[in-house]
């Protein structure tokens, strides 16, 4: 039965009719539930916090035992939207009622979205405003009893999903009195929607291919951090990106390409916080620590914030005292203990040395060899000239001697 087409305010009437039809046709009975027919417990609800949706699964036999069926479980008081109603799944044991709804605020079946801000700690200690969004709601039972009293307990299944909005590019209670309540809190993550890509052109159409011998120094590297399959109410904002010699940056030399509003003079910000992708570019460099190596290898890391469209602008204001703290870009060492959040890291970036010479000693050696070669050539020419002069002198002496003999 499609309650969507009923007049406004008639949703509960439609629901009552539907519940009577289900009770006589599709619903499970207490007898069919067997040992699963019992009073509600803490673990009756399961919550899965996905990157684009929330999934609820409520054991249906305790619901039937209390006097209801799956059609009498209402999500956030919404009765006139078919996408917000539960469906019975008898293919699993124990059988459950499933609710699935998207994370888009306008289509989340009445779920409450609450964004909170707290000072950053650990790896985020440089940022004074770290946001988390909490999405919560309740599935309640609708009592069809007509009269002044009822013997059916009210069922309440509370759910909650918390999603951190900052990434380093690395639950149940029940109380029964006049009602039965199951609460389930879970933590979700959008990290699986984020990925980093490297390109060789400013149109971001040609992926950067790094040959085994590395790319040339000063080659432009175009970086993109993009969110795929993410609810449209969030944009991608890069708080900090840096390069490190090791793939896991703990205890590794690193170089900041930008930290908040402090941008290295060779880094170009192209797009940040304006859509579900962020872009910047920088010329290939090498670490002086690797000066005696033919190839310099390093990794790119980004701390990525997912900001609500309405609040992204406040994080982009550089002089905002309540926003992000500034920190100068510099070469230093990362301290111990930077762990916890998932790391968004690029493939290895390999660059060639600036000249064919790989070291100062080799340059000196080659210069010395060149000098020896020039000296050898000069000596050869001098010896040749002396031999030629000697030959000419001998010929002149023979000629002079013959003329003297003729005169005698």
């Amino acid at each position: 039965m499609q309650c969507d087409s009923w007049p406004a305010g008639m949703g509960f009437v439609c629901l009552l009719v539907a519940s009577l039809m289900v009770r006589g046709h599709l619903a499970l009975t207490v007898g069919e539930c067997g040992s699963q027919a019992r009073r509600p417990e803490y673990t009756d609800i399961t919550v899965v916090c996905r990157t684009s949706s929330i999934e609820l699964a409520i054991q249906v036999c305790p619901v039937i035992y209390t006097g209801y069926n799956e059609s009498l479980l209402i999500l956030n008081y919404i009765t006139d939207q078919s996408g917000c109603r539960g469906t019975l799944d008898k293919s699993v044991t124990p059988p459950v009622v499933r609710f699935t709804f998207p994370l888009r605020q306008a289509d989340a079946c009445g779920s409450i979205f609450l964004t909170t801000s707290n000072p950053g700690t650990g790896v985020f200690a440089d940022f004074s405003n770290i946001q988390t969004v909490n999405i919560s709601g309740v599935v309640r039972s609708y009592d069809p009893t007509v009269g002044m009293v009822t013997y059916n307990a009210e069922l309440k299944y509370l759910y909650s999903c918390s999603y951190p909005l900052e990434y380093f590019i690395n639950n149940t209670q029940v109380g029964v009195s006049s009602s039965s309540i199951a609460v389930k809190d879970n933590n979700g993550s959008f990290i699986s929607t984020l990925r980093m890509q490297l390109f060789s052109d400013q149109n971001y159409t040609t992926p950067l291919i790094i040959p085994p011998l590395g790319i040339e120094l000063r080659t432009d590297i175009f970086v993109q951090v993009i969110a795929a399959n993410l609810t449209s109410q969030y944009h991608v904002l890069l708080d900090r990106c840096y390069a490190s010699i090791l793939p896991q940056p703990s205890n590794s030399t690193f170089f900041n390409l930008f930290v908040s509003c402090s941008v290295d003079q060779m880094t170009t910000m192209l797009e940040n916080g304006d859509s579900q992708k962020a872009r910047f570019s920088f010329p290939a460099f090498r670490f002086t620590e690797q000066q005696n190596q033919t190839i310099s290898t390093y990794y790119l890391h980004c701390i990525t914030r997912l900001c609500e469209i309405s609040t992204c602008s406040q994080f982009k204001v550089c002089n905002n005292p309540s926003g992000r703290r500034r920190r100068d870009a510099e070469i230093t060492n990362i301290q111990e203990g930077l762990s916890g959040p998932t790391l968004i890291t690029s493939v290895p970036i390999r660059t060639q040395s600036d000249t064919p010479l790989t070291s100062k000693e080799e340059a000196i050696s080659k210069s010395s060899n060149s000098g020896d070669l020039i000296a050898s050539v000069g000596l050869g020419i001098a010896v040749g000239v002396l031999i030629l002069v000697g030959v000419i002198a001998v010929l002149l002496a023979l000629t002079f001697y013959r003329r003297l003999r003729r005169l005698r």
Side-chain angles (χ1 to χ4, degrees):
M1 177 178 290
Q2 296 294 327
C3 294
D4 309 55
S5 58
W6 283 56
M10 298 293 289
F12 282 104
V13 176
C14 174
L15 188 66
L16 178 59
V17 174
S19 67
L20 294 175
M21 295 175 61
V22 169
R23 184 171 296 180
H25 181 52
L26 297 175
L28 290 173
T29 64
V30 174
E32 290 174 318
C33 285
S35 60
Q36 301 294 334
R38 53 168 175 74
R39 293 178 61 84
E41 294 180 355
Y42 298 133
T43 55
D44 285 350
I45 182 173
T46 300
V47 180
V48 179
C49 304
R50 300 197 182 278
T51 58
S52 59
S53 65
I54 293 178
E55 299 176 2
L56 311 177
I58 300 173
Q59 292 190 33
V60 72
C61 286
V63 174
I64 295 172
Y65 180 86
T66 312
Y68 303 98
N69 57 45
E70 71 276 8
S71 66
L72 294 176
L73 294 179
I74 312 302
L75 176 60
N76 295 320
Y77 299 101
I78 295 178
T79 60
D80 57 352
Q81 297 181 25
S82 59
C84 299
R85 288 200 290 269
T87 56
L88 179 62
D89 183 1
K90 295 190 288 185
S91 65
V92 295
T93 303
V96 297
V97 179
R98 298 190 184 278
F99 295 85
T100 302
F101 50 89
L103 291 184
R104 296 184 300 272
Q105 193 162 2
D107 305 315
C109 295
S111 298
I112 298 172
F113 285 67
L114 179 63
T115 301
T116 58
S117 299
N118 293 289
T121 59
V123 71
F124 301 124
D126 286 332
F127 305 99
S128 56
N129 196 340
I130 303 299
Q131 290 188 316
T132 300
V133 61
N134 181 269
I135 304 171
S136 61
V138 60
V139 177
R140 296 174 180 267
S141 60
Y142 172 72
D143 192 345
T145 301
V146 178
M148 296 183 62
V149 298
T150 180
Y151 295 96
N152 296 328
E154 180 185 19
L155 300 179
K156 295 180 183 178
Y157 299 92
L158 282 73
Y159 63 89
S160 174
C161 282
S162 293
Y163 293 86
L165 298 182
E166 190 90 2
Y167 295 95
F168 188 46
I169 298 206
N170 126 82
N171 294 339
T172 310
Q173 186 178 9
V174 68
V176 178
S177 53
S178 61
S179 62
S180 294
I181 305 173
V183 181
K184 187 70 173 182
D185 293 324
N186 257 338
N187 292 323
S189 173
F190 293 125
I191 190 67
S192 63
T193 71
L194 298 171
R195 68 178 185 271
M196 181 186 295
Q197 301 167 309
L198 304 181
F199 294 87
S200 60
D201 65 311
Q202 60 183 0
N203 294 322
Y204 289 83
T205 56
T206 306
L208 178 65
I209 298 176
I210 302 176
L213 295 180
I215 58 178
E216 292 184 3
L217 289 172
R218 301 180 184 86
T219 299
D220 286 330
I221 298 176
F222 296 88
V223 184
Q224 174 175 271
V225 177
I226 189 171
N229 301 319
L230 179 65
T231 176
S232 59
Q233 70 190 81
Y234 296 106
H235 282 176
V236 172
L237 180 69
L238 301 180
D239 269 331
R240 175 192 175 200
C241 287
Y242 62 96
S244 71
I245 291 178
L246 300 178
Q248 299 298 330
S250 179
N251 277 343
S252 173
T253 299
F254 73 86
F255 176 71
N256 283 323
L257 296 168
F258 63 87
V259 180
S260 184
C261 298
S262 179
V263 182
D264 181 73
Q265 62 180 354
M266 301 298 287
T267 301
T268 302
M269 298 300 302
L270 302 173
E271 181 179 354
N272 196 19
D274 300 319
S275 68
Q276 292 197 336
K277 61 180 178 294
R279 291 173 169 177
F280 67 94
S281 66
F282 66 95
F285 57 86
R286 65 186 180 92
F287 281 89
T288 55
E289 184 177 318
Q290 300 174 329
Q291 63 181 348
N292 293 327
Q293 301 177 17
T294 305
I295 301 173
S296 176
T297 302
Y298 50 88
Y299 300 81
L300 188 63
H301 316 278
C302 285
I303 294 177
T304 306
R305 180 192 300 270
L306 298 177
C307 56
E308 291 181 301
I309 296 176
S310 59
T311 61
C312 274
S313 58
Q314 75 181 67
F315 295 105
K316 298 169 67 176
V317 178
C318 294
N319 59 357
N320 183 3
S322 64
R324 298 172 291 172
R325 300 174 191 165
R326 302 182 60 178
R327 191 169 77 186
D328 293 333
E330 60 181 1
I331 295 182
T332 183
N333 285 328
I334 296 180
Q335 301 299 319
E336 292 274 359
L338 296 189
S339 61
T342 306
L343 195 68
I344 301 178
T345 302
S346 72
V347 296
I349 299 175
R350 296 184 293 272
T351 60
Q352 301 171 359
S353 57
D354 198 12
T355 68
L357 307 182
T358 58
S359 68
K360 183 177 179 181
E361 291 76 9
E362 187 174 339
I364 294 173
S365 174
K366 292 213 171 188
S367 176
S368 177
N369 292 338
S370 177
D372 292 344
L373 178 61
I374 293 173
S376 298
V377 172
L379 181 60
I381 293 174
V383 171
V385 170
L386 290 175
I387 293 173
L388 179 61
V389 170
V391 170
I392 293 173
V394 170
L395 291 175
L396 289 174
L398 288 174
T399 303
F400 184 71
Y401 176 74
R402 288 176 181 176
R403 287 181 179 178
L404 286 176
R405 291 191 62 182
R406 289 176 184 175
L407 291 175
R408 292 179 183 177

